[in-house]
Amino acid sequence: MCSPEHFAVEYAINPWMDVTAPVDAELAVKQWDRLRETLVGLGHEVHLLVPEPGLPDMVYAANGAFMVDGTVYGARFKHEQRAAEAATHRAFHESQGWRFIAPNETNEGEGDFAYLPEAHGGLVLAGYGFRTELPAHAEAQEALGRPVVSLRLVDPRFYHLDVALASIDDGNVVYYPGAFSSASQRVLNQLFPDAVLADDEDALAFGLNLVSDGANVVLNSEATRLAGRLKAAGYTPVPVELAELKKGGGSVKCCIAELRY
């Protein structure tokens, strides 16, 4: 995770960003810190990146890389405003001694990649259509040695996979069908017939931008119906308030890069 000390909406690179809307930086830090405390309280270890001036989106740490079993496939951001973030993530991963593979193709890390180790023997779901380029899916497959399933995103409000779909345990997902092409919806239905489905309201409240440890699901507090559906499916919803960080087009998952080593 990376503190939003320098968070601001200084440019608009997704439909949620409004440069005329005020951002309360102090409140953003408080809400982010509550998220961090929630994860620690659930028993998770949180590593911290040092935020850098001039990189207001560094708080969205999920976009910096994608890690599977100690191998890290690095990010290459689409927009130049975020390009410098990639080096910070690389330096962190290399400092930990993990194998880092630099990308040649445009991809935005866990923003567009999700890993399910027990789904069909280990499966990467990969989004494309707005940020990550399709050739990056093949590059990720070669880098990580896991089969990659490409899913086309068709609604610009769901510009990353992680605002439209999330893993809720090692073999199942929750997603919003309307974010995907009809063919991708059929693929998801085939792969995950028991998936939890979100409605428009909860999807637009960033409810799918969540993190789950297989039992506890940390999600945006506005996604109340989705929380109910997850509870009915046997999970424990853990709501958090992230209204300030939503102004940049992200929520819980965007703030968390999962380290699988």
Side-chain angles (χ1 to χ4, degrees):
M1 297 181 69
C2 182
S3 172
E5 289 176 29
H6 306 297
F7 176 65
V9 179
E10 299 174 347
Y11 44 77
I13 57 174
N14 68 60
W16 304 97
M17 302 178 86
D18 179 358
V19 296
T20 67
V23 171
D24 186 331
E26 184 177 346
L27 180 57
V29 171
K30 288 180 179 178
Q31 291 177 344
W32 173 89
D33 204 48
R34 179 60 184 148
L35 172 61
R36 183 191 59 80
E37 291 170 354
T38 297
L39 296 173
V40 172
L42 291 171
H44 302 293
E45 181 182 4
V46 178
H47 296 257
L48 297 178
L49 292 179
V50 178
E52 295 187 9
L55 296 175
D57 283 342
M58 265 191 75
V59 63
Y60 303 124
N63 305 149
F66 177 54
M67 184 182 206
V68 174
D69 290 342
T71 297
V72 184
Y73 175 53
R76 184 175 181 179
F77 288 86
K78 177 176 181 178
H79 297 286
E80 65 174 316
Q81 292 95 330
R82 300 195 64 186
E85 295 177 38
T88 303
H89 285 268
R90 178 174 186 166
F92 166 75
H93 288 293
E94 290 183 335
S95 74
Q96 301 296 314
W98 296 320
R99 181 183 177 219
F100 185 91
I101 298 175
N104 293 312
E105 305 294 343
T106 299
N107 82 89
E108 299 200 345
E110 284 199 320
D112 276 318
F113 290 107
Y115 182 55
L116 292 100
E118 293 180 6
H120 309 275
L123 196 65
V124 175
L125 301 180
Y128 73 101
F130 298 103
R131 296 292 185 85
T132 295
E133 299 292 337
L134 192 55
H137 295 186
E139 188 174 61
Q141 181 168 276
E142 288 299 309
L144 302 170
R146 298 293 189 279
V148 175
V149 175
S150 297
L151 301 169
R152 184 181 171 210
L153 298 163
V154 296
D155 185 331
R157 297 173 299 179
F158 303 97
Y159 60 95
H160 272 155
L161 182 70
D162 72 359
V163 293
L165 176 149
S167 62
I168 43 177
D169 57 37
D170 286 346
N172 202 10
V173 298
V174 55
Y175 68 97
Y176 171 57
F180 299 92
S181 69
S182 58
S184 293
Q185 289 181 44
R186 291 196 297 273
V187 169
L188 285 168
N189 188 51
Q190 291 176 53
L191 291 173
F192 306 102
D194 299 319
V196 177
L197 301 182
D199 62 21
D200 300 44
E201 185 176 332
D202 283 341
L204 292 171
F206 284 85
L208 290 160
N209 195 239
L210 59 80
V211 167
S212 173
D213 58 16
N216 304 290
V217 182
V218 184
L219 78 167
N220 194 290
S221 58
E222 295 177 36
T224 53
R225 275 203 296 264
L226 182 57
R229 292 180 184 182
L230 290 165
K231 187 173 183 179
Y235 303 91
T236 301
V238 183
V240 293
E241 171 60 55
L242 283 179
E244 287 306 299
L245 293 175
K246 274 181 59 186
K247 295 175 180 177
S251 188
V252 174
K253 174 58 192 168
C254 287
C255 294
I256 299 166
E258 295 180 56
L259 304 175
R260 307 174 185 89
Y261 57 89

